[in-house]
């Protein structure tokens, strides 16, 4: 009877370890699924991994914050700084709406610059030419840094947030500014 109890404990421990490992690697599986969707050029499947409203809101807030900080630096004696900031802000929303598409995200996951969207049919970046690193930032936040290997630019940060207990969605980006 004692031997049977220890076997059950070992099986339960083994199942718990497997469950913990699977739980830990769920964001890695999400990134793998996104990359597969990018390679297959399947925009609909890629869209399932993205919270577009959160992503657009985050990018708009980031750009507005950057504009405000630049405005505070350059405000000394420039009467037209506020007008310029208002004009730039008016262009941000349509720009972000055009960048945050499945096609635009596919390019960023390949390490290409977002402003190269107009040259989508141009140079292709293969997986071997992309530097990608992944890490947890917190229990509910996972970061993927992506850049082309030959590039000296800062990487694009793809921020994933937990969506439920086991799935993840792209909810923010950290663009080098």
């Amino acid at each position: 009877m004692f031997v049977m109890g220890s076997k059950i404990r070992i099986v339960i421990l083994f199942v718990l370890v497997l469950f913990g490992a699977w739980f830990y690697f769920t964001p890695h599986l999400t990134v793998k699924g996104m990359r597969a969707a990018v390679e297959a050029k399947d925009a609909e499947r890629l869209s399932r991994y993205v919270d577009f409203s959160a992503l657009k809101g985050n990018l708009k807030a980031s750009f507005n914050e950057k504009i405000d900080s630049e405005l505070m630096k350059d405000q000394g004696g420039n009467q037209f700084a506020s007008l310029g900031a208002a004009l730039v802000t008016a262009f941000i929303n349509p720009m972000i709406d055009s960048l945050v598409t499945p096609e635009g995200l596919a390019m960023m996951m390949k390490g290409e610059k977002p402003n190269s969207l107009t040259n989508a049919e141009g140079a292709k970046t293969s997986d071997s030419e992309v530097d990608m690193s992944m890490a947890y930032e917190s229990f509910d936040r996972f970061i993927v840094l992506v850049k082309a290997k030959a590039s000296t630019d800062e990487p694009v940060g793809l921020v994933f947030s937990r969506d439920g207990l086991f799935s993840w969605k792209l909810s923010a980006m950290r663009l080098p500014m």
Side-chain angles (χ1 to χ4, degrees), residues 67-87:
I67 290 168
D68 288 345
S69 70
E70 292 296 321
L71 179 63
M72 295 305 269
K73 279 193 236 177
D74 298 336
Q75 201 169 17
N78 190 349
Q79 300 172 9
F80 297 104
S82 296
L83 177 63
L87 288 173

Side-chain angles (χ1 to χ4, degrees), residues 137-158:
E137 197 172 70
S138 69
F139 178 75
D140 291 333
R141 190 171 291 254
F142 189 77
I143 307 297
V144 179
L145 298 175
V146 182
K147 76 172 193 166
K149 282 187 181 178
S151 175
T152 58
D153 296 337
E154 291 292 315
V156 172
L158 305 173

Side-chain angles (χ1 to χ4, degrees), residues 41-166:
K41 297 180 181 168
D42 187 347
E44 183 179 325
R45 187 169 46 154
L46 181 62
S47 296
R48 288 186 229 145
Y49 295 107
V50 181
D51 182 349
F52 282 102
S53 61
L55 182 57
K56 288 178 183 181
N58 174 271
L59 285 173
K60 289 173 185 177
S62 294
F63 278 107
N64 286 329
E65 182 180 310
K66 179 70 173 172
I67 290 168
D68 288 345
S69 70
E70 292 296 321
L71 179 63
M72 295 305 269
K73 279 193 236 177
D74 298 336
Q75 201 169 17
N78 190 349
Q79 300 172 9
F80 297 104
S82 296
L83 177 63
L87 288 173
V88 169
T89 302
F91 288 107
I92 286 177
N93 290 348
M95 179 189 71
I96 289 175
D97 291 338
S98 70
L99 280 176
V100 181
T101 62
E103 295 80 16
L105 294 175
M107 291 187 72
M108 287 182 234
M109 286 195 71
K110 289 182 177 183
E112 296 175 14
K113 289 184 180 181
N115 62 0
S116 64
L117 286 174
T118 57
N119 192 17
E121 296 301 319
K124 305 276 185 196
T125 307
S126 71
D127 283 344
S128 63
E129 297 171 349
V130 176
D131 237 350
M132 185 180 288
S133 63
M134 302 181 228
Y136 274 93
E137 197 172 70
S138 69
F139 178 75
D140 291 333
R141 190 171 291 254
F142 189 77
I143 307 297
V144 179
L145 298 175
V146 182
K147 76 172 193 166
K149 282 187 181 178
S151 175
T152 58
D153 296 337
E154 291 292 315
V156 172
L158 305 173
V159 181
F160 290 83
S161 296
R162 193 177 292 280
D163 182 45
L165 192 56
F166 301 111

